[in-house]
Amino acid sequence: MKKNKIITAITVTATVLLLAACGKSSSNNAKDLTVGASPDPQSKILKHVQPELKKEGVNLKVKVFQDYVLPNKALQSKDIDANYFQHIPFLDQWNKKNDGNIKNAGAVHLEPIAVYSKKYQSLKDLPKNATVLVSSNTPDYGRVLQIFKDAGLITLKKGTDITSANFSAIDQNKKNIKFKTGYEPKLMPQFYKNKQGDAEVINANYAVQAGLNPVKDSIAIEKSSSPYANIIAIRPDEKNNKAIKKLVKVLQSKSTQDWIKKEYHGAVLPVK
């Protein structure tokens, strides 16, 4: 009888240890995924979906970048698994300039670029020879041209591809508006607050970080039909990464897209 009790005790102990080991193994099976992102809205959106991804077995880590230069370099060098800060025209230009091969894994949201002014209430109020400050982010130039074209202030040369256009594409400039370029994108809100131009063009992420609402505070805003949606970008070797596919699926889900709409009140627009 005593021998049977010892055998039973050993069996129970072994079973408990086996179950504990299995439980530990299961918890360790979560796939780590590091995504580089701009501070807001990208990193905020990613942090919102972290709990949902945890349920899907993905341990999402967010690495915040303060500029548009380093995220693609970090992705290319495999310091991160994906990034979330850019639109396709920016990615295409970056690949061309850097002999890169980064790919689009899926669109998530649009950050409507907008024109702000402390001096005038609308684009049509801009005087002749007005100065409009624009950042050094050349892939956004077509977006700026489209806004001014929609307002009837400029026309573009025949055959202009808006996704790769620059200011030399202007055919007629009715008010001889001077577009001054070359400024760091993150400095544009400060230029606006200091009234350094008659108007300033600001990307939505930097506007939001500065406490501005592109819908309410701008004098003109990009239309939601814009082709400049922000994407999850990856290296080609990650195209079959199940964790990245889960990330994109959660980001594009109705619940996440509804949350984006509610959270940003139109300052950030969901793609679906």
Side-chain angles (χ1 to χ4, degrees), residues 106-144:
V108 182
H109 75 271
L110 172 70
E111 296 175 27
I113 201 167
V115 184
Y116 299 78
S117 178
K118 287 282 189 180
K119 302 176 182 179
Y120 303 99
Q121 297 299 310
S122 73
L123 286 187
K124 292 183 179 181
D125 291 337
L126 292 176
K128 287 186 177 181
N129 302 310
T131 298
V132 176
L133 304 186
V134 183
S135 82
S136 59
N137 194 34
T138 55
D140 283 336
Y141 291 172
R143 307 171 76 180
V144 179

Side-chain angles (χ1 to χ4, degrees), residues 54-207:
K54 196 76 173 178
K55 296 176 185 177
E56 296 285 334
V58 178
N59 181 28
L60 176 62
K61 298 179 180 180
V62 181
K63 184 173 182 178
V64 177
F65 291 88
Q66 298 293 338
D67 62 27
Y68 294 159
V69 177
L70 295 177
N72 279 338
K73 288 184 177 181
L75 180 58
Q76 195 85 321
S77 62
K78 300 188 177 182
D79 292 332
I80 56 177
D81 302 305
N83 67 39
Y84 176 29
F85 79 100
Q86 64 193 321
H87 48 63
I88 293 175
F90 182 97
L91 174 60
D92 289 344
Q93 186 179 92
W94 191 91
N95 278 334
K96 186 176 180 180
K97 285 186 175 181
N98 296 277
D99 194 27
N101 60 355
I102 295 174
K103 306 296 183 183
N104 168 24
V108 182
H109 75 271
L110 172 70
E111 296 175 27
I113 201 167
V115 184
Y116 299 78
S117 178
K118 287 282 189 180
K119 302 176 182 179
Y120 303 99
Q121 297 299 310
S122 73
L123 286 187
K124 292 183 179 181
D125 291 337
L126 292 176
K128 287 186 177 181
N129 302 310
T131 298
V132 176
L133 304 186
V134 183
S135 82
S136 59
N137 194 34
T138 55
D140 283 336
Y141 291 172
R143 307 171 76 180
V144 179
L145 291 170
Q146 188 67 57
I147 291 174
F148 281 82
K149 179 177 179 289
D150 289 343
L153 296 180
I154 64 171
T155 61
L156 301 177
K157 295 175 182 176
K158 187 176 180 180
T160 295
D161 177 1
I162 204 69
T163 62
S164 60
N166 57 41
F167 295 102
S168 65
I170 296 175
D171 185 25
Q172 294 182 343
N173 189 340
K174 296 180 180 180
K175 291 191 175 184
N176 194 34
I177 294 170
K178 302 182 187 306
F179 295 94
K180 292 187 67 175
T181 65
Y183 306 98
E184 281 287 330
K186 62 184 177 183
L187 297 179
M188 301 309 293
Q190 192 61 44
F191 292 160
Y192 160 70
K193 291 177 181 178
N194 293 339
K195 304 179 184 179
Q196 290 187 228
D198 292 302
E200 295 79 20
V201 180
I202 308 176
N203 290 85
N205 61 322
Y206 290 119

